[in-house]
Amino acid sequence: MGLDSMLGALALAAAGALGSSEAPAPGRELVERRLASMGTSLEVAIVAASREAGLEASELVVAEMRRVEDLLTTWRDSPLSRLNAAPVGKEIAIDRELGGVLAEVFRWAAR
């Protein structure tokens, strides 16, 4: 998944968590998940046509969060930890996704 997919999954997780205090509409099911991710806790709330569909959607969010954590963790080997471990001033190759994420971080930091 690319940066847009990653940000979409994170937005979905955030929107679901923010809206979880309301009861779902009739005929809809609320599925909530809590897990540890990136040194903090993540709460995911999905409203779907069925519990099965909600669980399936929540699995997509959980899988994406694990994928993002594997890209950005500094607690174990990852593309970001390898970049951080590189000697200062030495050019190293990074993959397109990490480059995109870092460019987005720098864009947000400049606001």
Side-chain angles (χ1 to χ4, degrees):
M1 269 188 205
L3 181 60
D4 290 339
S5 297
M6 178 176 54
L7 294 176
L10 295 175
L12 174 65
L18 292 174
S20 65
S21 63
E22 299 178 19
R28 309 286 286 172
E29 294 286 331
L30 173 64
V31 174
E32 296 178 296
R33 304 269 307 262
R34 287 169 189 77
L35 60 134
S37 181
M38 299 185 78
T40 189
S41 60
L42 172 68
E43 295 186 18
V44 178
I46 306 285
V47 176
S50 68
R51 179 158 178 74
E52 182 178 293
L55 287 171
E56 186 176 322
S58 74
E59 281 299 317
L60 294 173
V61 173
V62 170
E64 182 64 4
M65 287 305 303
R66 285 190 181 127
R67 194 187 68 74
V68 170
E69 182 174 28
D70 288 344
L71 177 71
L72 300 177
T73 188
T74 57
W75 289 76
R76 60 186 183 281
D77 185 53
S78 73
L80 183 60
S81 70
R82 289 189 296 274
L83 175 63
N84 287 343
V88 174
K90 180 181 179 199
E91 283 190 31
I92 67 164
I94 60 173
D95 67 25
R96 173 171 266 145
E97 184 173 32
L98 180 58
V101 169
L102 294 175
E104 187 69 16
V105 167
F106 294 136
R107 188 179 72 77
W108 274 85
R111 291 173 135 195

XYZ file of all heavy atoms in Angstrom:
812
model
N 0.841 -1.186 0.000
C 0.000 0.000 0.000
C 0.875 1.235 0.000
O 1.908 1.264 0.643
C -0.860 0.023 1.254
C -2.185 -0.645 1.101
S -3.179 -0.362 2.556
C -4.187 -1.796 2.388
N 0.410 2.255 -0.660
C 1.155 3.495 -0.714
C 0.795 4.439 0.414
O 0.006 4.118 1.301
N 1.363 5.620 0.372
C 1.129 6.614 1.404
C -0.344 6.974 1.497
O -0.883 7.089 2.591
C 1.979 7.859 1.124
C 1.858 9.001 2.133
C 2.274 8.527 3.521
C 2.703 10.175 1.703
N -1.028 7.132 0.358
C -2.448 7.467 0.388
C -3.259 6.392 1.084
O -4.150 6.682 1.882
C -2.995 7.693 -1.024
C -2.459 8.972 -1.638
O -2.015 9.857 -0.887
O -2.491 9.083 -2.871
N -2.956 5.121 0.808
C -3.658 4.017 1.459
C -3.393 4.013 2.956
O -4.284 3.802 3.762
C -3.237 2.681 0.856
O -3.591 2.613 -0.489
N -2.125 4.255 3.313
C -1.758 4.264 4.713
C -2.495 5.381 5.449
O -3.076 5.161 6.504
C -0.246 4.450 4.853
C 0.218 4.513 6.285
S 1.999 4.614 6.457
C 2.401 6.003 5.444
N -2.478 6.572 4.883
C -3.164 7.687 5.517
C -4.664 7.454 5.567
O -5.324 7.814 6.540
C -2.840 8.990 4.788
C -1.384 9.447 4.886
C -1.155 10.689 4.038
C -0.970 9.692 6.317
N -5.209 6.808 4.529
C -6.637 6.479 4.521
C -6.990 5.518 5.636
O -8.008 5.675 6.317
N -6.175 4.513 5.853
C -6.436 3.547 6.921
C -6.341 4.220 8.283
O -7.156 3.967 9.172
C -5.452 2.382 6.837
N -5.361 5.100 8.449
C -5.232 5.820 9.707
C -6.421 6.747 9.931
O -6.938 6.853 11.034
C -3.924 6.599 9.745
C -2.658 5.753 9.737
C -1.429 6.641 9.644
C -2.580 4.870 10.951
N -6.873 7.406 8.874
C -8.043 8.282 8.989
C -9.281 7.468 9.327
O -10.107 7.875 10.147
C -8.255 9.063 7.690
N -9.411 6.301 8.708
C -10.535 5.427 9.005
C -10.516 5.022 10.470
O -11.538 5.061 11.152
C -10.485 4.183 8.109
C -11.497 3.087 8.382
C -12.906 3.595 8.110
C -11.209 1.866 7.538
N -9.352 4.662 10.968
C -9.231 4.274 12.368
C -9.571 5.443 13.291
O -10.307 5.293 14.257
C -7.825 3.762 12.652
N -9.058 6.621 12.971
C -9.327 7.796 13.801
C -10.792 8.180 13.753
O -11.414 8.450 14.778
C -8.461 8.967 13.340
N -11.383 8.179 12.582
C -12.797 8.542 12.448
C -13.667 7.540 13.178
O -14.629 7.900 13.857
C -13.190 8.619 10.966
N -13.321 6.281 13.075
C -14.103 5.254 13.768
C -14.012 5.418 15.268
O -15.006 5.329 15.976
N -12.824 5.679 15.779
C -12.646 5.838 17.215
C -13.380 7.070 17.725
O -13.978 7.051 18.784
C -11.161 5.916 17.556
N -13.378 8.134 16.961
C -14.047 9.351 17.387
C -15.564 9.188 17.384
O -16.257 9.772 18.189
C -13.651 10.520 16.478
C -12.199 10.961 16.584
C -11.895 12.026 15.546
C -11.880 11.466 17.976
N -16.081 8.393 16.472
C -17.525 8.234 16.368
C -18.079 7.074 17.166
O -19.261 6.792 17.112
N -17.250 6.385 17.956
C -17.694 5.170 18.611
C -18.653 5.396 19.768
O -19.249 4.456 20.245
C -16.481 4.360 19.085
O -15.793 5.073 20.078
N -18.822 6.621 20.239
C -19.722 6.863 21.363
C -21.188 6.845 20.952
O -22.061 6.772 21.791
C -19.374 8.202 22.028
O -19.581 9.261 21.106
N -21.465 6.892 19.667
C -22.839 6.854 19.193
C -23.233 5.439 18.840
O -22.436 4.658 18.354
C -22.980 7.745 17.953
C -22.661 9.204 18.217
C -22.755 10.046 16.961
O -23.396 9.612 15.994
O -22.165 11.120 16.959
N -24.511 5.105 19.090
C -25.010 3.786 18.719
C -25.155 3.723 17.203
O -25.514 4.707 16.560
C -26.357 3.542 19.389
N -24.853 2.559 16.620
C -25.003 2.437 15.165
C -26.474 2.466 14.761
O -27.355 2.175 15.569
C -24.367 1.082 14.852
C -24.374 0.338 16.141
C -24.336 1.360 17.228
N -26.723 2.823 13.531
C -28.089 2.857 12.999
C -28.668 1.444 13.020
O -27.922 0.457 13.015
C -28.063 3.404 11.573
N -29.978 1.327 13.044
C -30.605 0.003 13.006
C -30.104 -0.803 11.802
O -29.922 -0.268 10.712
C -32.096 0.314 12.874
C -32.252 1.690 13.451
C -30.968 2.399 13.112
N -29.835 -2.085 12.024
C -29.342 -2.938 10.957
C -27.850 -2.843 10.735
O -27.317 -3.426 9.798
N -27.161 -2.088 11.571
C -25.703 -1.928 11.469
C -25.075 -2.457 12.757
O -25.701 -2.443 13.809
C -25.321 -0.458 11.276
C -26.064 0.278 10.160
C -25.623 -0.088 8.798
N -24.331 0.510 8.539
C -23.605 0.236 7.473
N -24.041 -0.601 6.570
N -22.439 0.792 7.294
N -23.854 -2.891 12.664
C -23.134 -3.434 13.823
C -21.892 -2.597 14.100
O -21.204 -2.176 13.175
C -22.698 -4.880 13.551
C -23.827 -5.858 13.414
C -24.481 -6.200 14.741
O -23.792 -6.152 15.788
O -25.684 -6.500 14.722
N -21.619 -2.375 15.372
C -20.404 -1.684 15.796
C -19.387 -2.730 16.232
O -19.689 -3.573 17.077
C -20.702 -0.733 16.963
C -19.503 -0.051 17.623
C -18.794 0.870 16.641
C -19.950 0.713 18.857
N -18.216 -2.683 15.651
C -17.110 -3.571 16.025
C -15.983 -2.688 16.527
O -15.555 -1.763 15.822
C -16.643 -4.426 14.824
C -15.405 -5.221 15.178
C -17.765 -5.328 14.346
N -15.526 -2.952 17.745
C -14.452 -2.166 18.338
C -13.256 -3.065 18.622
O -13.411 -4.212 19.028
C -14.918 -1.515 19.634
C -16.037 -0.500 19.402
C -16.529 0.118 20.680
O -17.072 -0.617 21.533
O -16.366 1.339 20.826
N -12.071 -2.531 18.387
C -10.813 -3.249 18.649
C -9.875 -2.304 19.381
O -9.850 -1.111 19.097
C -10.139 -3.662 17.335
C -10.940 -4.494 16.378
C -10.784 -5.983 16.576
N -9.437 -6.485 16.580
C -8.825 -7.037 15.526
N -9.457 -7.132 14.373
N -7.608 -7.510 15.638
N -9.115 -2.855 20.281
C -8.075 -2.105 20.980
C -6.790 -2.918 20.879
O -6.800 -4.118 21.119
C -8.449 -1.903 22.440
C -9.551 -0.891 22.607
C -10.092 -0.888 24.033
N -11.279 -0.074 24.134
C -12.494 -0.427 23.732
N -12.687 -1.599 23.182
N -13.521 0.377 23.851
N -5.699 -2.241 20.527
C -4.425 -2.931 20.428
C -3.289 -1.969 20.679
O -3.466 -0.748 20.625
C -4.270 -3.594 19.054
C -4.306 -2.666 17.841
C -3.185 -3.020 16.902
C -5.640 -2.837 17.144
N -2.131 -2.539 20.972
C -0.922 -1.735 21.145
C -0.266 -1.588 19.785
O -0.159 -2.548 19.028
C 0.023 -2.419 22.119
N 0.140 -0.364 19.474
C 0.795 -0.103 18.202
C 1.685 1.115 18.344
O 1.258 2.146 18.870
C -0.254 0.145 17.112
O 0.352 0.383 15.871
N 2.914 0.987 17.898
C 3.878 2.083 17.872
C 4.059 2.743 19.244
O 4.143 3.960 19.368
C 3.489 3.097 16.801
C 3.480 2.469 15.409
S 3.187 3.604 14.067
C 4.817 4.346 13.943
N 4.086 1.921 20.281
C 4.339 2.430 21.622
C 3.154 3.108 22.278
O 3.312 3.769 23.300
N 1.980 2.953 21.725
C 0.791 3.554 22.305
C -0.374 2.601 22.084
O -0.204 1.491 21.608
C 0.523 4.954 21.685
O -0.509 5.605 22.420
C 0.151 4.862 20.223
N -1.557 3.025 22.447
C -2.717 2.173 22.205
C -3.530 2.746 21.045
O -3.530 3.945 20.812
C -3.585 2.065 23.458
O -4.049 3.337 23.844
N -4.154 1.851 20.334
C -4.973 2.219 19.186
C -6.367 1.660 19.404
O -6.519 0.496 19.766
C -4.374 1.633 17.903
C -5.220 1.761 16.635
C -5.318 3.220 16.207
C -4.631 0.917 15.519
N -7.355 2.485 19.234
C -8.741 2.041 19.298
C -9.351 2.211 17.921
O -9.245 3.266 17.311
C -9.519 2.853 20.322
C -9.031 2.637 21.739
C -9.886 3.326 22.776
O -11.036 3.702 22.478
O -9.384 3.492 23.893
N -9.953 1.148 17.436
C -10.582 1.140 16.119
C -12.051 0.822 16.323
O -12.393 -0.119 17.028
C -9.942 0.073 15.198
C -10.628 0.040 13.850
C -8.458 0.314 15.056
N -12.916 1.607 15.716
C -14.354 1.354 15.758
C -14.868 1.375 14.325
O -14.646 2.339 13.598
C -15.069 2.398 16.598
N -15.530 0.309 13.943
C -16.060 0.172 12.596
C -17.558 -0.072 12.696
O -18.005 -0.920 13.468
C -15.421 -1.035 11.859
C -13.893 -0.968 11.858
C -16.010 -1.203 10.471
C -13.298 0.031 10.929
N -18.334 0.659 11.921
C -19.768 0.394 11.799
C -19.978 -0.250 10.445
O -19.570 0.298 9.421
C -20.605 1.694 11.932
C -22.075 1.411 11.694
C -20.381 2.324 13.298
N -20.579 -1.440 10.456
C -20.737 -2.208 9.221
C -22.110 -2.870 9.182
O -22.844 -2.868 10.174
C -19.642 -3.260 9.133
N -22.427 -3.450 8.044
C -23.713 -4.114 7.856
C -23.836 -5.368 8.721
O -24.944 -5.757 9.079
C -23.907 -4.466 6.383
N -22.711 -5.987 9.067
C -22.746 -7.181 9.903
C -21.491 -7.220 10.767
O -20.496 -6.552 10.473
C -22.809 -8.449 9.040
O -21.597 -8.619 8.328
N -21.539 -8.020 11.820
C -20.356 -8.174 12.674
C -19.201 -8.742 11.859
O -18.059 -8.302 12.003
C -20.680 -9.075 13.864
C -19.493 -9.291 14.772
C -19.899 -9.696 16.168
N -18.758 -9.953 17.011
C -17.956 -9.031 17.533
N -18.191 -7.758 17.307
N -16.935 -9.369 18.293
N -19.489 -9.715 11.003
C -18.450 -10.318 10.167
C -17.779 -9.270 9.279
O -16.559 -9.226 9.173
C -19.056 -11.424 9.305
C -18.039 -12.138 8.451
C -18.666 -13.259 7.641
O -19.112 -14.249 8.241
O -18.697 -13.099 6.402
N -18.575 -8.411 8.652
C -18.016 -7.360 7.795
C -17.199 -6.372 8.619
O -16.143 -5.902 8.176
C -19.133 -6.639 7.043
N -17.660 -6.043 9.817
C -16.923 -5.132 10.684
C -15.598 -5.724 11.132
O -14.577 -5.035 11.167
N -15.610 -7.024 11.475
C -14.363 -7.683 11.863
C -13.383 -7.729 10.697
O -12.183 -7.499 10.870
C -14.648 -9.095 12.376
C -15.301 -9.167 13.757
C -15.743 -10.597 14.058
C -14.374 -8.635 14.833
N -13.902 -8.012 9.500
C -13.047 -8.043 8.315
C -12.421 -6.672 8.061
O -11.222 -6.557 7.790
C -13.856 -8.488 7.102
C -13.041 -8.696 5.865
C -13.874 -9.229 4.701
O -14.761 -10.068 4.940
O -13.625 -8.781 3.570
N -13.219 -5.616 8.171
C -12.694 -4.260 7.969
C -11.680 -3.909 9.051
O -10.638 -3.299 8.769
C -13.851 -3.252 7.957
N -11.962 -4.312 10.293
C -11.021 -3.994 11.368
C -9.700 -4.741 11.175
O -8.640 -4.218 11.525
C -11.634 -4.301 12.741
O -11.694 -5.682 12.995
N -9.744 -5.943 10.613
C -8.510 -6.681 10.323
C -7.649 -5.930 9.313
O -6.427 -5.951 9.400
C -8.808 -8.087 9.820
C -9.174 -9.066 10.911
C -8.070 -9.266 11.943
O -6.884 -9.390 11.560
O -8.400 -9.285 13.142
N -8.292 -5.268 8.340
C -7.544 -4.470 7.367
C -6.827 -3.312 8.055
O -5.668 -3.012 7.749
C -8.472 -3.943 6.274
C -9.094 -4.993 5.356
C -10.113 -4.340 4.426
C -8.029 -5.716 4.562
N -7.511 -2.657 8.992
C -6.897 -1.544 9.723
C -5.734 -2.055 10.574
O -4.651 -1.469 10.589
C -7.942 -0.815 10.598
C -7.272 0.224 11.491
C -9.015 -0.170 9.732
N -5.949 -3.165 11.286
C -4.896 -3.737 12.131
C -3.685 -4.135 11.277
O -2.537 -3.839 11.641
C -5.438 -4.943 12.932
C -4.313 -5.704 13.619
C -6.480 -4.478 13.951
N -3.926 -4.773 10.151
C -2.822 -5.174 9.271
C -2.062 -3.957 8.753
O -0.823 -3.970 8.682
C -3.357 -6.006 8.098
N -2.782 -2.900 8.408
C -2.117 -1.687 7.921
C -1.304 -1.029 9.029
O -0.186 -0.566 8.800
C -3.139 -0.713 7.339
C -2.537 0.540 6.760
C -1.629 0.319 5.552
O -1.489 -0.810 5.063
O -1.047 1.318 5.074
N -1.824 -1.006 10.233
C -1.073 -0.424 11.346
C 0.195 -1.230 11.614
O 1.247 -0.656 11.881
C -1.939 -0.350 12.609
C -2.999 0.736 12.544
S -2.329 2.382 12.187
C -1.161 2.595 13.513
N 0.102 -2.552 11.535
C 1.303 -3.383 11.719
C 2.325 -3.101 10.616
O 3.524 -3.042 10.856
C 0.922 -4.856 11.740
C 0.278 -5.251 13.036
C 0.102 -6.740 13.177
N -0.548 -7.013 14.444
C -1.641 -7.745 14.576
N -2.213 -8.303 13.524
N -2.171 -7.932 15.761
N 1.840 -2.939 9.388
C 2.727 -2.652 8.266
C 3.424 -1.306 8.455
O 4.634 -1.165 8.258
C 1.937 -2.664 6.953
C 2.816 -2.701 5.713
C 1.981 -2.531 4.459
N 1.427 -1.192 4.382
C 2.130 -0.101 4.072
N 3.404 -0.190 3.806
N 1.544 1.079 4.026
N 2.657 -0.296 8.886
C 3.227 1.035 9.124
C 4.226 0.981 10.277
O 5.306 1.573 10.192
C 2.102 2.062 9.406
C 2.673 3.387 9.893
C 1.246 2.261 8.173
N 3.881 0.249 11.328
C 4.818 0.110 12.442
C 6.114 -0.556 11.979
O 7.205 -0.139 12.365
C 4.182 -0.703 13.566
C 5.092 -0.836 14.775
C 4.424 -1.510 15.948
O 3.508 -2.332 15.741
O 4.831 -1.215 17.082
N 6.010 -1.584 11.136
C 7.206 -2.254 10.616
C 8.071 -1.301 9.784
O 9.282 -1.448 9.739
C 6.825 -3.467 9.769
C 6.288 -4.615 10.608
O 6.475 -4.619 11.841
O 5.661 -5.518 10.012
N 7.459 -0.328 9.144
C 8.192 0.665 8.352
C 8.865 1.708 9.238
O 9.998 2.121 8.979
C 7.227 1.367 7.380
C 7.791 2.485 6.517
C 8.724 1.917 5.456
C 6.661 3.273 5.867
N 8.182 2.125 10.306
C 8.619 3.292 11.064
C 9.168 3.018 12.460
O 9.607 3.955 13.127
C 7.452 4.291 11.182
C 6.888 4.818 9.874
C 5.691 5.723 10.141
C 7.956 5.550 9.083
N 9.133 1.774 12.913
C 9.587 1.520 14.274
C 11.068 1.844 14.445
O 11.855 1.697 13.504
C 9.317 0.060 14.699
O 9.615 -0.064 16.089
C 10.141 -0.932 13.895
N 11.405 2.287 15.632
C 12.815 2.477 15.977
C 13.209 1.502 17.092
O 14.300 1.583 17.634
C 13.084 3.927 16.425
O 12.231 4.252 17.528
C 12.855 4.898 15.281
N 12.322 0.585 17.432
C 12.555 -0.385 18.503
C 13.203 -1.664 17.985
O 13.688 -2.478 18.753
C 11.235 -0.733 19.197
C 10.734 0.402 20.017
C 10.129 1.543 19.559
C 10.809 0.527 21.432
N 9.818 2.366 20.606
C 10.223 1.761 21.775
C 11.294 -0.273 22.444
C 10.116 2.207 23.079
C 11.179 0.172 23.752
C 10.605 1.401 24.049
N 13.150 -1.882 16.687
C 13.769 -3.053 16.068
C 14.165 -2.660 14.648
O 13.914 -1.537 14.223
C 12.829 -4.255 16.099
C 11.526 -4.038 15.368
C 10.569 -5.223 15.551
N 9.361 -5.039 14.792
C 8.335 -4.273 15.145
N 8.374 -3.616 16.285
N 7.273 -4.159 14.383
N 14.765 -3.583 13.928
C 15.202 -3.284 12.574
C 14.024 -2.858 11.695
O 12.973 -3.509 11.688
C 15.878 -4.515 11.968
C 16.454 -4.208 10.604
O 17.228 -3.240 10.494
O 16.111 -4.925 9.644
N 14.185 -1.748 11.019
C 13.167 -1.228 10.105
C 13.859 -0.267 9.133
O 14.986 0.152 9.374
C 12.082 -0.465 10.871
O 12.566 0.785 11.322
N 13.175 0.096 8.068
C 13.774 1.097 7.169
C 14.138 2.396 7.889
O 15.206 2.960 7.648
C 12.685 1.313 6.119
C 11.962 -0.003 6.073
C 11.930 -0.462 7.513
N 13.287 2.855 8.807
C 13.598 4.092 9.520
C 14.748 3.901 10.506
O 15.627 4.771 10.608
C 12.366 4.631 10.249
C 12.563 5.962 10.968
C 12.967 7.066 9.995
C 11.309 6.353 11.738
N 14.789 2.779 11.209
C 15.897 2.570 12.159
C 17.232 2.458 11.422
O 18.255 2.929 11.921
C 15.648 1.341 13.039
O 15.738 0.147 12.298
N 17.223 1.869 10.213
C 18.463 1.795 9.428
C 18.893 3.191 8.973
O 20.079 3.510 8.980
C 18.287 0.841 8.240
C 18.212 -0.621 8.685
C 18.251 -1.580 7.526
N 17.116 -1.481 6.627
C 15.953 -2.107 6.785
N 15.758 -2.893 7.840
N 14.991 -1.960 5.906
N 17.936 4.025 8.602
C 18.264 5.400 8.226
C 18.837 6.142 9.425
O 19.855 6.838 9.313
C 17.016 6.119 7.699
C 17.164 7.605 7.382
C 18.178 7.820 6.259
C 15.814 8.197 7.019
N 18.213 5.989 10.575
C 18.692 6.663 11.783
C 20.089 6.195 12.188
O 20.861 6.966 12.760
C 17.725 6.445 12.947
C 16.451 7.236 12.794
O 16.376 8.178 12.017
N 15.424 6.840 13.527
N 20.413 4.927 11.907
C 21.714 4.370 12.297
C 22.830 4.737 11.320
O 24.006 4.552 11.641
C 21.607 2.847 12.401
N 22.493 5.267 10.177
C 23.507 5.612 9.171
C 24.383 6.752 9.686
O 23.915 7.648 10.389
C 22.835 6.019 7.861
N 25.661 6.731 9.337
C 26.553 7.819 9.748
C 26.064 9.165 9.198
O 25.556 9.249 8.081
C 27.898 7.439 9.116
C 27.807 5.966 8.856
C 26.362 5.697 8.584
N 26.207 10.196 9.994
C 25.804 11.541 9.587
C 26.560 11.929 8.329
O 27.767 11.732 8.228
C 26.083 12.561 10.720
C 25.800 13.983 10.251
C 25.262 12.224 11.948
N 25.840 12.454 7.361
C 26.433 12.922 6.125
C 26.592 11.853 5.057
O 26.925 12.167 3.925
N 26.374 10.596 5.418
C 26.499 9.518 4.436
C 25.146 9.309 3.745
O 24.124 9.172 4.395
C 26.919 8.214 5.099
C 27.056 7.080 4.102
C 27.443 5.783 4.763
C 27.534 4.723 3.674
N 27.469 3.386 4.193
N 25.183 9.321 2.424
C 23.959 9.054 1.670
C 23.635 7.576 1.737
O 24.516 6.734 1.587
C 24.130 9.454 0.207
C 24.047 10.941 -0.022
C 23.967 11.273 -1.506
O 23.418 10.475 -2.289
O 24.486 12.332 -1.866
N 22.366 7.283 1.996
C 21.926 5.896 1.920
C 20.615 5.866 1.143
O 19.848 6.841 1.149
C 21.740 5.233 3.304
C 20.583 5.842 4.078
C 22.998 5.303 4.125
C 20.147 4.971 5.226
N 20.375 4.774 0.476
C 19.153 4.623 -0.307
C 17.998 4.258 0.631
O 18.166 3.456 1.550
C 19.334 3.524 -1.350
N 16.868 4.901 0.414
C 15.650 4.519 1.124
C 14.583 4.215 0.079
O 14.667 4.696 -1.054
C 15.162 5.617 2.102
C 14.859 6.926 1.374
C 16.176 5.836 3.214
C 14.214 7.979 2.242
N 13.599 3.416 0.467
C 12.577 3.073 -0.512
C 11.601 4.236 -0.701
O 11.573 5.195 0.080
C 11.864 1.766 -0.158
C 11.014 1.823 1.102
O 10.561 2.917 1.488
O 10.791 0.762 1.693
N 10.835 4.137 -1.750
C 9.911 5.209 -2.137
C 8.898 5.508 -1.028
O 8.581 6.660 -0.767
C 9.198 4.818 -3.432
C 8.095 5.790 -3.810
C 7.554 5.506 -5.170
N 8.311 6.386 -6.047
C 8.679 6.108 -7.269
N 8.371 4.977 -7.818
N 9.366 6.968 -7.983
N 8.391 4.470 -0.358
C 7.370 4.713 0.663
C 7.923 5.487 1.850
O 7.308 6.451 2.306
C 6.737 3.406 1.139
C 5.606 3.677 2.118
C 4.836 2.451 2.506
O 5.431 1.356 2.565
O 3.637 2.595 2.759
N 9.071 5.079 2.352
C 9.669 5.813 3.471
C 9.970 7.244 3.052
O 9.708 8.183 3.807
C 10.932 5.119 3.983
C 11.622 5.813 5.165
C 10.674 5.955 6.352
C 12.888 5.071 5.542
N 10.482 7.434 1.849
C 10.729 8.788 1.352
C 9.454 9.616 1.318
O 9.454 10.788 1.706
N 8.360 9.013 0.879
C 7.074 9.715 0.837
C 6.573 10.082 2.225
O 6.058 11.178 2.457
N 6.705 9.136 3.153
C 6.275 9.401 4.532
C 7.097 10.538 5.124
O 6.552 11.465 5.738
C 6.392 8.128 5.403
C 6.205 8.456 6.877
C 5.381 7.081 4.960
N 8.413 10.481 4.948
C 9.272 11.542 5.497
C 8.985 12.890 4.847
O 8.965 13.924 5.531
C 10.742 11.160 5.358
C 11.167 9.957 6.203
C 12.608 9.590 5.899
C 10.955 10.220 7.682
N 8.719 12.897 3.546
C 8.367 14.156 2.875
C 7.079 14.731 3.455
O 6.978 15.942 3.690
C 8.215 13.925 1.368
N 6.123 13.867 3.736
C 4.860 14.319 4.339
C 5.090 14.840 5.759
O 4.519 15.860 6.151
C 3.846 13.163 4.347
C 2.465 13.548 4.781
C 1.728 14.450 3.793
O 2.150 14.543 2.622
O 0.725 15.051 4.203
N 5.932 14.170 6.523
C 6.270 14.633 7.874
C 6.893 16.013 7.818
O 6.527 16.912 8.586
C 7.209 13.620 8.563
C 7.836 14.215 9.819
C 6.471 12.344 8.899
N 7.859 16.197 6.916
C 8.511 17.504 6.799
C 7.522 18.585 6.348
O 7.597 19.730 6.800
C 9.714 17.435 5.864
C 10.831 16.588 6.397
C 11.490 15.688 5.579
C 11.227 16.662 7.728
C 12.524 14.902 6.067
C 12.245 15.878 8.229
C 12.898 14.994 7.392
N 6.605 18.216 5.476
C 5.581 19.177 5.028
C 4.719 19.608 6.222
O 4.455 20.789 6.410
C 4.715 18.552 3.925
C 3.761 19.567 3.274
C 2.932 18.907 2.168
N 1.931 18.006 2.671
C 0.766 18.390 3.217
N 0.485 19.659 3.344
N -0.095 17.487 3.629
N 4.295 18.629 7.034
C 3.487 18.961 8.198
C 4.296 19.790 9.206
O 3.755 20.703 9.839
C 2.976 17.680 8.851
C 1.711 17.189 8.246
C 1.595 16.404 7.133
C 0.383 17.445 8.681
N 0.279 16.166 6.858
C -0.486 16.800 7.784
C -0.152 18.179 9.734
C -1.864 16.837 7.913
C -1.529 18.215 9.868
C -2.361 17.563 8.979
N 5.553 19.457 9.392
C 6.394 20.175 10.360
C 6.588 21.628 9.965
O 6.754 22.503 10.825
C 7.747 19.476 10.503
N 6.552 21.909 8.675
C 6.768 23.274 8.189
C 5.530 24.153 8.337
O 5.614 25.357 8.124
C 7.203 23.249 6.718
N 4.428 23.592 8.703
C 3.183 24.382 8.845
C 3.258 25.400 9.938
O 3.798 25.301 10.934
C 1.988 23.470 9.135
C 1.646 22.621 7.962
C 0.592 21.646 8.342
N -0.409 21.619 7.302
C -1.601 21.098 7.431
N -1.959 20.571 8.561
N -2.447 21.082 6.457
